[in-house]
Amino acid sequence: MKPKATFYDLGTHPYPEGSSSLARMALGARRLGYGGICARYHQGYFPDGRVALPAGVVLGVEVVAANVNELRRGIDRFRGRAAVLAVHGGDEAINRAACEDGRVDVLAHPQEGRSPGINHVIARLAADRGVAIEFSLFPLVHGRGGARVRALSAFRANFALVRKYGAPYVITSGALSSYDLRDVRGAIAVAGLFGMREADAVRGLAEHPAGIVRRGAPGYVAEGVEVVDDN
């Protein structure tokens, strides 16, 4: 029998960035069918000290940079401190630099610039470096009018390239509150609006996020290689 998939939302923003506590966000996600979430703070909100993480929660950061040099410094600063490292995309140069760097786990909302954000070169780089392209449902669920139409068009174009080149991808809620979370079935349905079949959506909610979480776990060295503490 095929094991049941474990679903992840790698794009939640709990308090103090959002309005829901980390515990409430984690509880809400579990009730909606997720086995785990990433508390992904933009770097200005990233905690200075150690954080007590509820079961099923991993700590993430979203690096924000004005240029490529600043991006590289941000990746250097946070790579060892977060299990999941995302880059705040939108600018084409930032999108490309993020997908060139194998230390990056997720390119977040690449479509927020003046273009869909992903082209053939960037999609190929993402596939080669294992950088996941994010499809955050937040602008589709909460956007209105032209903003929603533009996001939907960009997602269709981006997913066509992601599928063509075999790049990893993740579907996230972008939740700033537990009320922004979407149940797994609902997320799959919304993903269908921009060309994902159910199997595609499951990969973006389970298979690809699981790989990112596994890479960020303590002791991970490479696929199939892990340091084990004998003590």
Side-chain angles (χ1 to χ4, degrees):
M1 181 183 294
K2 186 176 181 180
K4 184 179 179 181
T6 300
F7 298 101
Y8 298 88
D9 185 342
L10 298 190
T12 73
H13 305 284
Y15 183 85
E17 183 168 358
S19 60
S20 290
S21 69
L22 182 52
R24 182 175 292 275
M25 195 78 85
L27 178 60
R30 282 198 299 274
R31 288 174 172 169
L32 293 172
Y34 293 89
I37 65 169
C38 175
R40 199 178 84 200
Y41 299 99
H42 283 78
Q43 63 185 55
Y45 294 94
F46 191 80
D48 291 329
R50 294 180 63 85
V51 179
L53 298 173
V57 177
V58 296
L59 183 63
V61 66
E62 190 167 326
V63 176
V64 182
N67 55 59
V68 172
N69 287 334
E70 191 175 309
L71 173 63
R72 289 171 181 153
R73 289 195 296 271
I75 295 171
D76 289 341
R77 177 185 173 192
F78 288 105
R79 179 62 277 184
R81 300 170 62 189
V84 176
L85 189 146
V87 169
H88 186 101
D91 177 81
E92 186 173 340
I94 295 293
N95 289 350
R96 176 165 180 161
C99 290
E100 286 176 335
D101 195 323
R103 295 174 297 169
V104 173
D105 295 311
V106 178
L107 173 60
H109 37 73
Q111 79 287 348
E112 289 192 353
R114 288 178 288 181
S115 71
I118 301 296
N119 55 32
H120 292 270
V121 173
I122 292 173
R124 187 182 291 113
L125 284 169
D128 290 345
R129 303 294 194 274
V131 178
I133 305 302
E134 180 185 54
F135 293 89
S136 171
L137 303 183
F138 197 91
L140 302 184
V141 174
H142 297 278
R144 295 292 181 270
R148 178 184 284 174
V149 171
R150 286 190 295 274
L152 198 54
S153 175
F155 281 17
R156 287 195 189 104
N158 287 347
F159 184 62
L161 288 170
V162 163
R163 182 161 49 193
K164 178 177 181 178
Y165 291 101
Y169 56 92
V170 293
I171 299 170
T172 68
S173 66
L176 292 163
S177 159
S178 59
Y179 298 108
D180 295 330
L181 295 165
R182 287 292 170 269
D183 66 277
V184 171
R185 276 283 148 209
I188 292 171
V190 175
L193 298 177
F194 52 90
M196 285 194 186
R197 298 164 297 185
E198 181 172 347
D200 298 322
V202 168
R203 280 191 283 273
L205 289 163
E207 179 183 331
H208 295 310
I212 293 170
V213 170
R214 185 167 60 249
R215 290 199 303 271
Y220 179 87
V221 178
E223 197 62 39
V225 180
E226 186 175 349
V227 175
V228 178
D229 188 351
D230 290 331
N231 296 327

